Amino acid sequence: GMGEWDGYWVAGRGRDSSMGSGGGGGSSLVVDGSPGVGTVKVADKVLEVLVSTTASFVNGALLGALMGLVSGAWQTRTWAGASAEASLSAKSWGGISAIYSGLQATARAIRGKDDRYNALAGACGSGAVFALGSGPRAALQGCASFALFGYVFDVMFYPNSKEEAVDMETGSDVKRRK
């Protein structure tokens, strides 16, 4: 039953209390339905998502602050105007970067693959959040436009990535089904 489940999650099948009940301890993600090979701690996946999201927020905020500082200084020619613009840009760029990276890392952790679909999930989510203040229709349009831009960019600059994905457990290339 639920009390015996020690945290295994079988991709595509949900919780499976028959696997490893009473052993191993800790939460694990079981890939391909077999504990042992391909078993990854859920805590490691959560930590990966948190670190990626936090690092992206910091990097985006620093870049946004720098761009805002320059833009604000150019427009207002005052320190107060420049610092106010830097603060606004830092929050915007940091937030969008964190959402994009967090959703991309979450998709990668859930799917166990590092491919362009993870980036599309991040782009769609960050586009939706960016436009959410203008209503649900704008959020859908933001999702679609960010994802479309990301897809076009990916296809133009990384044309072979549609045929290849990296299995996050083994590090090996995985050919996609057509």
Side-chain angles (χ1 to χ4, degrees), residues 3-155:
E4 299 174 352
W5 180 62
D6 76 349
Y8 285 108
W9 186 267
V10 181
R13 291 193 299 171
R15 288 182 285 202
D16 187 350
S17 62
S18 67
M19 296 176 53
S21 59
S27 296
S28 299
L29 175 70
V30 179
V31 180
D32 298 324
S34 57
V37 177
T39 301
V40 178
K41 296 284 185 185
V42 171
D44 292 342
K45 295 290 186 178
V46 170
L47 182 61
E48 177 186 341
V49 170
L50 290 175
V51 167
S52 176
T53 303
T54 303
S56 288
F57 176 80
V58 170
N59 289 331
L62 288 174
L63 181 63
L66 179 63
M67 291 176 57
L69 191 63
V70 171
S71 172
W74 184 264
Q75 291 172 357
T76 66
R77 308 248 190 249
T78 67
W79 176 251
S83 62
E85 185 65 28
S87 177
L88 288 173
S89 291
K91 290 175 188 173
S92 292
W93 282 72
I96 294 297
S97 296
I99 293 165
Y100 174 84
S101 185
L103 289 173
Q104 183 181 21
T106 300
R108 183 175 54 236
I110 290 170
R111 297 178 64 237
K113 293 182 195 174
D114 191 12
D115 59 11
R116 76 171 41 137
Y117 298 110
N118 300 337
L120 290 177
C124 175
S126 58
V129 171
F130 184 70
L132 191 58
S134 298
R137 182 180 211 171
L140 287 174
Q141 290 172 338
C143 168
S145 61
F146 272 49
L148 179 62
F149 176 78
Y151 181 79
V152 169
F153 182 86
D154 194 41
V155 168

